[in-house]
């Protein structure tokens, strides 16, 4: 298994470097967001070719393929013909003369390392003894499907809203009525589902670092905090924030009379 992790690490370093060069050519670092989902698919293809194949492992590969393709295509369409994402643009201005080095290390290489941490349960599964379809497979699959629904539907609803909204308007309908970040809730749920599927494997619990990492990153680091900071001092968002759950979908609280 150690050799598999080393090989996957080397693949991701090469992959991240290629996308860094693409970013230099395109003059926009937000191509890293498109690369994110595809990177997981590449690792799964490598594992599929190099390791044994068994039904539950094939399920894991399929879930990653579906998730990664949908997400990368969605982000590509969302960013097409638009300016660089505001988060990357802020770093471009902040990093100044150190922009190239920090872009390579802090955007592309760091993202690759995080990718390996999050996909670690699947790398572990590819090197483990096969297990039969079991209750954890069903439970994890149900969790993943629920997460996929929340992410895909929320992304679609937001994309439709963005095309029609007026400046300053905040998305507050559909799934966004019950959570300020239903797409992130879906992302987190999917990776917990994948981890649950791997639980019957020996030593699998150590890889709880995967769903814990994606949860921590989206809730406390690069997801929710950066997006909500963008809407600070927006009255509509502040009102929405007071009555709507930050992540887990819940019935909205009634506004004060």
């Amino acid at each position: 298994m150690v050799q598999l992790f080393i090989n996957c690490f080397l693949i991701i370093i090469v992959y991240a470097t290629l996308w860094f060069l693409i970013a230099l050519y395109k003059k926009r670092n937000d191509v890293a967001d498109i690369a994110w989902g595809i990177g997981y698919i590449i690792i799964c293809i490598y594992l599929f070719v190099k390791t044994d194949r068994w039904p539950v492992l094939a399920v894991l590969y399929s879930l990653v393929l579906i998730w990664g393709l949908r997400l990368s295509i969605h982000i590509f369409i969302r960013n097409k013909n638009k300016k660089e994402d505001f988060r990357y643009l802020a770093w471009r201005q902040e990093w100044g003369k150190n922009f190239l080095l920090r872009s390579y290390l802090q955007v592309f290489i760091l993202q690759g390392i995080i990718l390996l941490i999050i996909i670690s349960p699947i790398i572990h599964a590819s090197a483990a003894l096969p297990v039969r379809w079991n209750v954890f497979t069903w439970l994890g699959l149900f969790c993943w499907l629920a997460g996929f629904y929340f992410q895909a539907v929320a992304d679609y609803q937001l994309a439709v809203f963005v095309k029609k909204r007026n400046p300053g308007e905040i998305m507050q309908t559909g799934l966004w009525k019950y959570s300020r970040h239903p797409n992130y809730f879906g992302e987190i749920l999917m990776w917990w589902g994948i981890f649950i599927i791997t639980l019957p494997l020996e030593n699998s619990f150590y890889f709880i670092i995967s769903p814990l990492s994606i949860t921590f990153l989206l809730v406390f680091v690069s997801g929710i905090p950066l997006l909500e900071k963008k809407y600070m001092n927006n009255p509509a968002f502040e009102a929405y924030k007071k009555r709507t759950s930050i992540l887990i979908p819940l019935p909205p609280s009634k506004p004060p009379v």
Side-chain angles (χ1 to χ4, degrees), residues 13 28 48 53 73 92 122 146 153 171 179 182-183 215 222 230:
I13 292 299
R28 53 187 306 163
F48 178 81
R53 300 157 198 170
I73 291 171
R92 181 181 294 275
I122 297 180
V153 172
M171 176 66 172
S179 167
N183 51 348
T215 302
S222 62
K230 179 182 179 182

Side-chain angles (χ1 to χ4, degrees), residues 26-84:
K26 300 289 289 184
K27 294 186 171 75
R28 53 187 306 163
N29 276 351
D30 58 357
V31 296
D33 292 342
I34 301 171
W36 176 248
I38 299 172
Y40 289 84
I41 295 172
I42 287 175
I43 293 298
C44 284
I45 291 172
Y46 166 75
L47 295 174
F48 178 81
V49 171
K50 286 294 184 179
T51 63
D52 293 335
R53 300 157 198 170
W54 35 281
V56 175
L57 187 58
V59 169
L60 291 169
Y61 293 155
S62 299
L63 298 183
V64 172
L65 175 65
I66 294 167
W67 165 80
L69 274 178
R70 190 214 69 85
L71 184 63
S72 290
I73 291 171
H74 166 73
I75 293 173
F76 172 78
I77 294 172
R78 183 189 70 188
N79 292 354
K80 189 178 180 181
N81 300 324
K82 293 182 181 177
K83 294 181 180 179
E84 186 176 31

Side-chain angles (χ1 to χ4, degrees), residues 90-102:
W91 288 334
R92 181 181 294 275
Q93 296 167 350
E94 178 185 337
W95 291 343
K97 64 180 181 180
N98 297 318
F99 171 74
L100 288 181
L101 180 62
R102 293 188 68 173

